[in-house]
Amino acid sequence: MTNLPLEWALLLLPVAYLVGWFMSKRKNKKARRQLRFSNDYFQGLNYLLNDEQDKALDVFLKLVEIDWETIDTSLALGAIFRRKGEIDKSIKLHQNLLARPSLPVEYKSRVLLELGRDYLLAGWLDRAEGLFNEVLKDEVYSQEALEHLMAIYQQEQEWQNAINVARRFKKDGKQDFRPVIAQFYCELSEQAHAHGDSKEAEALATQALSADENCVRASIILGNIALERGRYKKAIRFYQQVEYQDADLFPLVIDKLKVCYGNQSNLKSLITYLKNVQRNHPLISLLPALTDLINEVYEKDAALAYLSENMLQQPSLDGMKKVLDLKAPSDDCPESYLPDVVNQMLLQKPDYICKHCGYSANTLYWLCPSCQTWSGMKPRHHI
Ligand SMILES: [Zn+2]
């Protein structure tokens, strides 16, 4: 500036004045805008506090157009609507946001995710699926979208889609999806088996085992297929895997093992094997099954001797029932009602209990109907 001729400097004076005037005008305008903005914002909050959500919704939707950074408030409002079961309102809100051409790209996936959640709750699974698939394109929200997609495919029993989605989860994520993928393969395997395609069922159960070598369900399926084909040794190998995969589930295969060993006239070996399993896993009770076997292969006295040796270490109603069954108190004995008492008590006990949520049933569900956890249900022990 110092090198400019004086007249140039004089000429620039009005320009500088004009710029200054313009800037102060802008500043005032901005301040006025901010004031109006915060007034509207507090008005919106006021509506919310007075439970006038429709009015609050109108205010926040207007504000978001002025400043998209207020989108958090709008989305929080949507979540409130959803929690209160007013899904039509949260759908309206999210659709309204999506329809605006001014919606910044970085917010689009978030709004899509929220609208997908609305559709999910409304039971429009197809629409929700479409939105979550769109969210997948955005790395930031893809994991959340995958979780929702997996829940949809699980609910719809679209197991192959569920497998594809589960495989897309980040390897370094918190949850290990391999056991879940194995369960999906087991579902497909059981479907194939139900349609009479045991070869396909075998291939799918093998895939389940390669996804998760500790998948008890897959070993049982493969054991059952081998058993159907009369390949007892092979079946035994699969059933015996359960001891190492999840000892809690071992009681599920005892009857099948009995069929296999029985067909080979080798029940004595089964008794030895089961006693070994019992020694390795004291927390599971094989006492009722072993008592039956000893009674069948040897004699009643041997079974009673086995019970008297083991009942105190593993006290259970099941064991008590075996004692009473073998002793069979005669009708004229004053304690003849005891077997009925124990039977009644056992009938009140569920056969399976979910370790995660405590849900109990007399049928084994691989997917707990209550907490939706795979392989959470275990046979009851020590009751
Ligand atoms: Zn459960």
Side-chain angles (χ1 to χ4, degrees), residues 363-379:
T363 311
L364 171 71
Y365 296 102
W366 291 104
L367 178 64
C368 171
S370 172
C371 70
Q372 301 288 304
T373 303
W374 286 99
S375 266
M377 295 192 80
K378 311 284 177 187

mmCIF file with all atom_site columns, all heavy atoms in Angstrom, residues 363-379:
data_model
loop_
_atom_site.group_PDB
_atom_site.id
_atom_site.type_symbol
_atom_site.label_atom_id
_atom_site.label_alt_id
_atom_site.label_comp_id
_atom_site.label_asym_id
_atom_site.label_entity_id
_atom_site.label_seq_id
_atom_site.pdbx_PDB_ins_code
_atom_site.Cartn_x
_atom_site.Cartn_y
_atom_site.Cartn_z
_atom_site.occupancy
_atom_site.B_iso_or_equiv
_atom_site.pdbx_formal_charge
_atom_site.auth_seq_id
_atom_site.auth_comp_id
_atom_site.auth_asym_id
_atom_site.auth_atom_id
_atom_site.pdbx_PDB_model_num
ATOM 1   N N   . THR A 1 363 ? -38.028 -78.522 25.124 1.00 0.00 ? 363 THR A N   1
ATOM 2   C CA  . THR A 1 363 ? -37.476 -78.768 23.792 1.00 0.00 ? 363 THR A CA  1
ATOM 3   C C   . THR A 1 363 ? -36.176 -77.981 23.672 1.00 0.00 ? 363 THR A C   1
ATOM 4   O O   . THR A 1 363 ? -36.087 -76.871 24.197 1.00 0.00 ? 363 THR A O   1
ATOM 5   C CB  . THR A 1 363 ? -38.450 -78.226 22.709 1.00 0.00 ? 363 THR A CB  1
ATOM 6   O OG1 . THR A 1 363 ? -39.743 -78.721 23.016 1.00 0.00 ? 363 THR A OG1 1
ATOM 7   C CG2 . THR A 1 363 ? -38.037 -78.642 21.323 1.00 0.00 ? 363 THR A CG2 1
ATOM 8   N N   . LEU A 1 364 ? -35.212 -78.554 22.965 1.00 0.00 ? 364 LEU A N   1
ATOM 9   C CA  . LEU A 1 364 ? -33.959 -77.820 22.757 1.00 0.00 ? 364 LEU A CA  1
ATOM 10  C C   . LEU A 1 364 ? -34.106 -76.917 21.537 1.00 0.00 ? 364 LEU A C   1
ATOM 11  O O   . LEU A 1 364 ? -34.409 -77.384 20.437 1.00 0.00 ? 364 LEU A O   1
ATOM 12  C CB  . LEU A 1 364 ? -32.796 -78.790 22.530 1.00 0.00 ? 364 LEU A CB  1
ATOM 13  C CG  . LEU A 1 364 ? -31.491 -78.126 22.095 1.00 0.00 ? 364 LEU A CG  1
ATOM 14  C CD1 . LEU A 1 364 ? -30.864 -77.339 23.235 1.00 0.00 ? 364 LEU A CD1 1
ATOM 15  C CD2 . LEU A 1 364 ? -30.502 -79.148 21.575 1.00 0.00 ? 364 LEU A CD2 1
ATOM 16  N N   . TYR A 1 365 ? -33.941 -75.609 21.756 1.00 0.00 ? 365 TYR A N   1
ATOM 17  C CA  . TYR A 1 365 ? -33.910 -74.662 20.639 1.00 0.00 ? 365 TYR A CA  1
ATOM 18  C C   . TYR A 1 365 ? -32.468 -74.215 20.458 1.00 0.00 ? 365 TYR A C   1
ATOM 19  O O   . TYR A 1 365 ? -31.862 -73.712 21.403 1.00 0.00 ? 365 TYR A O   1
ATOM 20  C CB  . TYR A 1 365 ? -34.772 -73.429 20.942 1.00 0.00 ? 365 TYR A CB  1
ATOM 21  C CG  . TYR A 1 365 ? -36.243 -73.730 21.098 1.00 0.00 ? 365 TYR A CG  1
ATOM 22  C CD1 . TYR A 1 365 ? -36.823 -73.811 22.360 1.00 0.00 ? 365 TYR A CD1 1
ATOM 23  C CD2 . TYR A 1 365 ? -37.049 -73.944 19.981 1.00 0.00 ? 365 TYR A CD2 1
ATOM 24  C CE1 . TYR A 1 365 ? -38.173 -74.094 22.510 1.00 0.00 ? 365 TYR A CE1 1
ATOM 25  C CE2 . TYR A 1 365 ? -38.398 -74.233 20.117 1.00 0.00 ? 365 TYR A CE2 1
ATOM 26  C CZ  . TYR A 1 365 ? -38.960 -74.303 21.385 1.00 0.00 ? 365 TYR A CZ  1
ATOM 27  O OH  . TYR A 1 365 ? -40.286 -74.577 21.525 1.00 0.00 ? 365 TYR A OH  1
ATOM 28  N N   . TRP A 1 366 ? -31.933 -74.380 19.251 1.00 0.00 ? 366 TRP A N   1
ATOM 29  C CA  . TRP A 1 366 ? -30.556 -73.919 19.028 1.00 0.00 ? 366 TRP A CA  1
ATOM 30  C C   . TRP A 1 366 ? -30.483 -72.399 19.093 1.00 0.00 ? 366 TRP A C   1
ATOM 31  O O   . TRP A 1 366 ? -29.489 -71.822 19.501 1.00 0.00 ? 366 TRP A O   1
ATOM 32  C CB  . TRP A 1 366 ? -30.025 -74.438 17.692 1.00 0.00 ? 366 TRP A CB  1
ATOM 33  C CG  . TRP A 1 366 ? -29.805 -75.921 17.720 1.00 0.00 ? 366 TRP A CG  1
ATOM 34  C CD1 . TRP A 1 366 ? -30.596 -76.871 17.140 1.00 0.00 ? 366 TRP A CD1 1
ATOM 35  C CD2 . TRP A 1 366 ? -28.751 -76.630 18.401 1.00 0.00 ? 366 TRP A CD2 1
ATOM 36  N NE1 . TRP A 1 366 ? -30.099 -78.125 17.417 1.00 0.00 ? 366 TRP A NE1 1
ATOM 37  C CE2 . TRP A 1 366 ? -28.961 -78.008 18.176 1.00 0.00 ? 366 TRP A CE2 1
ATOM 38  C CE3 . TRP A 1 366 ? -27.657 -76.243 19.171 1.00 0.00 ? 366 TRP A CE3 1
ATOM 39  C CZ2 . TRP A 1 366 ? -28.117 -78.988 18.695 1.00 0.00 ? 366 TRP A CZ2 1
ATOM 40  C CZ3 . TRP A 1 366 ? -26.813 -77.214 19.684 1.00 0.00 ? 366 TRP A CZ3 1
ATOM 41  C CH2 . TRP A 1 366 ? -27.045 -78.567 19.454 1.00 0.00 ? 366 TRP A CH2 1
ATOM 42  N N   . LEU A 1 367 ? -31.573 -71.743 18.684 1.00 0.00 ? 367 LEU A N   1
ATOM 43  C CA  . LEU A 1 367 ? -31.663 -70.275 18.820 1.00 0.00 ? 367 LEU A CA  1
ATOM 44  C C   . LEU A 1 367 ? -32.661 -70.003 19.939 1.00 0.00 ? 367 LEU A C   1
ATOM 45  O O   . LEU A 1 367 ? -33.848 -70.330 19.800 1.00 0.00 ? 367 LEU A O   1
ATOM 46  C CB  . LEU A 1 367 ? -32.157 -69.652 17.510 1.00 0.00 ? 367 LEU A CB  1
ATOM 47  C CG  . LEU A 1 367 ? -32.352 -68.131 17.507 1.00 0.00 ? 367 LEU A CG  1
ATOM 48  C CD1 . LEU A 1 367 ? -31.040 -67.391 17.707 1.00 0.00 ? 367 LEU A CD1 1
ATOM 49  C CD2 . LEU A 1 367 ? -32.998 -67.676 16.201 1.00 0.00 ? 367 LEU A CD2 1
ATOM 50  N N   . CYS A 1 368 ? -32.166 -69.435 21.052 1.00 0.00 ? 368 CYS A N   1
ATOM 51  C CA  . CYS A 1 368 ? -33.060 -69.212 22.202 1.00 0.00 ? 368 CYS A CA  1
ATOM 52  C C   . CYS A 1 368 ? -34.212 -68.288 21.786 1.00 0.00 ? 368 CYS A C   1
ATOM 53  O O   . CYS A 1 368 ? -33.969 -67.173 21.321 1.00 0.00 ? 368 CYS A O   1
ATOM 54  C CB  . CYS A 1 368 ? -32.280 -68.614 23.367 1.00 0.00 ? 368 CYS A CB  1
ATOM 55  S SG  . CYS A 1 368 ? -33.362 -68.091 24.711 1.00 0.00 ? 368 CYS A SG  1
ATOM 56  N N   . PRO A 1 369 ? -35.477 -68.730 21.941 1.00 0.00 ? 369 PRO A N   1
ATOM 57  C CA  . PRO A 1 369 ? -36.603 -67.897 21.521 1.00 0.00 ? 369 PRO A CA  1
ATOM 58  C C   . PRO A 1 369 ? -36.718 -66.616 22.330 1.00 0.00 ? 369 PRO A C   1
ATOM 59  O O   . PRO A 1 369 ? -37.320 -65.657 21.885 1.00 0.00 ? 369 PRO A O   1
ATOM 60  C CB  . PRO A 1 369 ? -37.826 -68.788 21.784 1.00 0.00 ? 369 PRO A CB  1
ATOM 61  C CG  . PRO A 1 369 ? -37.301 -70.149 22.033 1.00 0.00 ? 369 PRO A CG  1
ATOM 62  C CD  . PRO A 1 369 ? -35.904 -70.006 22.538 1.00 0.00 ? 369 PRO A CD  1
ATOM 63  N N   . SER A 1 370 ? -36.106 -66.616 23.513 1.00 0.00 ? 370 SER A N   1
ATOM 64  C CA  . SER A 1 370 ? -36.244 -65.439 24.364 1.00 0.00 ? 370 SER A CA  1
ATOM 65  C C   . SER A 1 370 ? -35.155 -64.391 24.094 1.00 0.00 ? 370 SER A C   1
ATOM 66  O O   . SER A 1 370 ? -35.458 -63.237 23.827 1.00 0.00 ? 370 SER A O   1
ATOM 67  C CB  . SER A 1 370 ? -36.213 -65.878 25.824 1.00 0.00 ? 370 SER A CB  1
ATOM 68  O OG  . SER A 1 370 ? -36.167 -64.776 26.662 1.00 0.00 ? 370 SER A OG  1
ATOM 69  N N   . CYS A 1 371 ? -33.876 -64.811 24.158 1.00 0.00 ? 371 CYS A N   1
ATOM 70  C CA  . CYS A 1 371 ? -32.807 -63.797 24.017 1.00 0.00 ? 371 CYS A CA  1
ATOM 71  C C   . CYS A 1 371 ? -32.116 -63.854 22.657 1.00 0.00 ? 371 CYS A C   1
ATOM 72  O O   . CYS A 1 371 ? -31.193 -63.080 22.403 1.00 0.00 ? 371 CYS A O   1
ATOM 73  C CB  . CYS A 1 371 ? -31.776 -63.935 25.135 1.00 0.00 ? 371 CYS A CB  1
ATOM 74  S SG  . CYS A 1 371 ? -30.763 -65.423 25.020 1.00 0.00 ? 371 CYS A SG  1
ATOM 75  N N   . GLN A 1 372 ? -32.603 -64.780 21.788 1.00 0.00 ? 372 GLN A N   1
ATOM 76  C CA  . GLN A 1 372 ? -32.056 -64.866 20.420 1.00 0.00 ? 372 GLN A CA  1
ATOM 77  C C   . GLN A 1 372 ? -30.553 -65.166 20.394 1.00 0.00 ? 372 GLN A C   1
ATOM 78  O O   . GLN A 1 372 ? -29.834 -64.671 19.525 1.00 0.00 ? 372 GLN A O   1
ATOM 79  C CB  . GLN A 1 372 ? -32.329 -63.580 19.633 1.00 0.00 ? 372 GLN A CB  1
ATOM 80  C CG  . GLN A 1 372 ? -33.797 -63.235 19.510 1.00 0.00 ? 372 GLN A CG  1
ATOM 81  C CD  . GLN A 1 372 ? -34.548 -64.158 18.561 1.00 0.00 ? 372 GLN A CD  1
ATOM 82  O OE1 . GLN A 1 372 ? -34.192 -64.309 17.413 1.00 0.00 ? 372 GLN A OE1 1
ATOM 83  N NE2 . GLN A 1 372 ? -35.582 -64.820 19.063 1.00 0.00 ? 372 GLN A NE2 1
ATOM 84  N N   . THR A 1 373 ? -30.087 -65.948 21.380 1.00 0.00 ? 373 THR A N   1
ATOM 85  C CA  . THR A 1 373 ? -28.686 -66.358 21.394 1.00 0.00 ? 373 THR A CA  1
ATOM 86  C C   . THR A 1 373 ? -28.596 -67.772 20.830 1.00 0.00 ? 373 THR A C   1
ATOM 87  O O   . THR A 1 373 ? -29.401 -68.631 21.178 1.00 0.00 ? 373 THR A O   1
ATOM 88  C CB  . THR A 1 373 ? -28.142 -66.377 22.851 1.00 0.00 ? 373 THR A CB  1
ATOM 89  O OG1 . THR A 1 373 ? -28.326 -65.091 23.407 1.00 0.00 ? 373 THR A OG1 1
ATOM 90  C CG2 . THR A 1 373 ? -26.674 -66.742 22.892 1.00 0.00 ? 373 THR A CG2 1
ATOM 91  N N   . TRP A 1 374 ? -27.602 -67.979 19.967 1.00 0.00 ? 374 TRP A N   1
ATOM 92  C CA  . TRP A 1 374 ? -27.409 -69.315 19.403 1.00 0.00 ? 374 TRP A CA  1
ATOM 93  C C   . TRP A 1 374 ? -26.670 -70.187 20.416 1.00 0.00 ? 374 TRP A C   1
ATOM 94  O O   . TRP A 1 374 ? -25.747 -69.731 21.091 1.00 0.00 ? 374 TRP A O   1
ATOM 95  C CB  . TRP A 1 374 ? -26.591 -69.240 18.114 1.00 0.00 ? 374 TRP A CB  1
ATOM 96  C CG  . TRP A 1 374 ? -27.353 -68.694 16.952 1.00 0.00 ? 374 TRP A CG  1
ATOM 97  C CD1 . TRP A 1 374 ? -27.309 -67.409 16.478 1.00 0.00 ? 374 TRP A CD1 1
ATOM 98  C CD2 . TRP A 1 374 ? -28.288 -69.385 16.109 1.00 0.00 ? 374 TRP A CD2 1
ATOM 99  N NE1 . TRP A 1 374 ? -28.145 -67.267 15.400 1.00 0.00 ? 374 TRP A NE1 1
ATOM 100 C CE2 . TRP A 1 374 ? -28.760 -68.466 15.149 1.00 0.00 ? 374 TRP A CE2 1
ATOM 101 C CE3 . TRP A 1 374 ? -28.776 -70.697 16.077 1.00 0.00 ? 374 TRP A CE3 1
ATOM 102 C CZ2 . TRP A 1 374 ? -29.687 -68.813 14.169 1.00 0.00 ? 374 TRP A CZ2 1
ATOM 103 C CZ3 . TRP A 1 374 ? -29.702 -71.037 15.093 1.00 0.00 ? 374 TRP A CZ3 1
ATOM 104 C CH2 . TRP A 1 374 ? -30.144 -70.103 14.160 1.00 0.00 ? 374 TRP A CH2 1
ATOM 105 N N   . SER A 1 375 ? -27.091 -71.452 20.498 1.00 0.00 ? 375 SER A N   1
ATOM 106 C CA  . SER A 1 375 ? -26.419 -72.434 21.363 1.00 0.00 ? 375 SER A CA  1
ATOM 107 C C   . SER A 1 375 ? -26.389 -72.037 22.834 1.00 0.00 ? 375 SER A C   1
ATOM 108 O O   . SER A 1 375 ? -25.492 -72.441 23.561 1.00 0.00 ? 375 SER A O   1
ATOM 109 C CB  . SER A 1 375 ? -24.965 -72.640 20.913 1.00 0.00 ? 375 SER A CB  1
ATOM 110 O OG  . SER A 1 375 ? -24.905 -73.714 20.055 1.00 0.00 ? 375 SER A OG  1
ATOM 111 N N   . GLY A 1 376 ? -27.360 -71.233 23.252 1.00 0.00 ? 376 GLY A N   1
ATOM 112 C CA  . GLY A 1 376 ? -27.389 -70.803 24.658 1.00 0.00 ? 376 GLY A CA  1
ATOM 113 C C   . GLY A 1 376 ? -28.061 -71.819 25.555 1.00 0.00 ? 376 GLY A C   1
ATOM 114 O O   . GLY A 1 376 ? -27.816 -71.867 26.758 1.00 0.00 ? 376 GLY A O   1
ATOM 115 N N   . MET A 1 377 ? -28.935 -72.665 24.969 1.00 0.00 ? 377 MET A N   1
ATOM 116 C CA  . MET A 1 377 ? -29.687 -73.612 25.795 1.00 0.00 ? 377 MET A CA  1
ATOM 117 C C   . MET A 1 377 ? -28.874 -74.880 26.061 1.00 0.00 ? 377 MET A C   1
ATOM 118 O O   . MET A 1 377 ? -28.247 -75.420 25.163 1.00 0.00 ? 377 MET A O   1
ATOM 119 C CB  . MET A 1 377 ? -31.011 -73.956 25.116 1.00 0.00 ? 377 MET A CB  1
ATOM 120 C CG  . MET A 1 377 ? -31.926 -72.751 25.014 1.00 0.00 ? 377 MET A CG  1
ATOM 121 S SD  . MET A 1 377 ? -33.604 -73.182 24.533 1.00 0.00 ? 377 MET A SD  1
ATOM 122 C CE  . MET A 1 377 ? -34.273 -73.754 26.079 1.00 0.00 ? 377 MET A CE  1
ATOM 123 N N   . LYS A 1 378 ? -28.889 -75.311 27.334 1.00 0.00 ? 378 LYS A N   1
ATOM 124 C CA  . LYS A 1 378 ? -28.128 -76.501 27.740 1.00 0.00 ? 378 LYS A CA  1
ATOM 125 C C   . LYS A 1 378 ? -29.059 -77.457 28.493 1.00 0.00 ? 378 LYS A C   1
ATOM 126 O O   . LYS A 1 378 ? -30.004 -77.007 29.165 1.00 0.00 ? 378 LYS A O   1
ATOM 127 C CB  . LYS A 1 378 ? -26.981 -76.116 28.678 1.00 0.00 ? 378 LYS A CB  1
ATOM 128 C CG  . LYS A 1 378 ? -26.118 -74.967 28.195 1.00 0.00 ? 378 LYS A CG  1
ATOM 129 C CD  . LYS A 1 378 ? -25.159 -75.369 27.093 1.00 0.00 ? 378 LYS A CD  1
ATOM 130 C CE  . LYS A 1 378 ? -24.376 -74.159 26.586 1.00 0.00 ? 378 LYS A CE  1
ATOM 131 N NZ  . LYS A 1 378 ? -23.567 -74.419 25.450 1.00 0.00 ? 378 LYS A NZ  1
ATOM 132 N N   . PRO A 1 379 ? -28.769 -78.766 28.415 1.00 0.00 ? 379 PRO A N   1
ATOM 133 C CA  . PRO A 1 379 ? -29.587 -79.706 29.202 1.00 0.00 ? 379 PRO A CA  1
ATOM 134 C C   . PRO A 1 379 ? -29.370 -79.437 30.688 1.00 0.00 ? 379 PRO A C   1
ATOM 135 O O   . PRO A 1 379 ? -28.292 -79.026 31.103 1.00 0.00 ? 379 PRO A O   1
ATOM 136 C CB  . PRO A 1 379 ? -29.005 -81.073 28.830 1.00 0.00 ? 379 PRO A CB  1
ATOM 137 C CG  . PRO A 1 379 ? -28.207 -80.856 27.597 1.00 0.00 ? 379 PRO A CG  1
ATOM 138 C CD  . PRO A 1 379 ? -27.728 -79.443 27.638 1.00 0.00 ? 379 PRO A CD  1
#
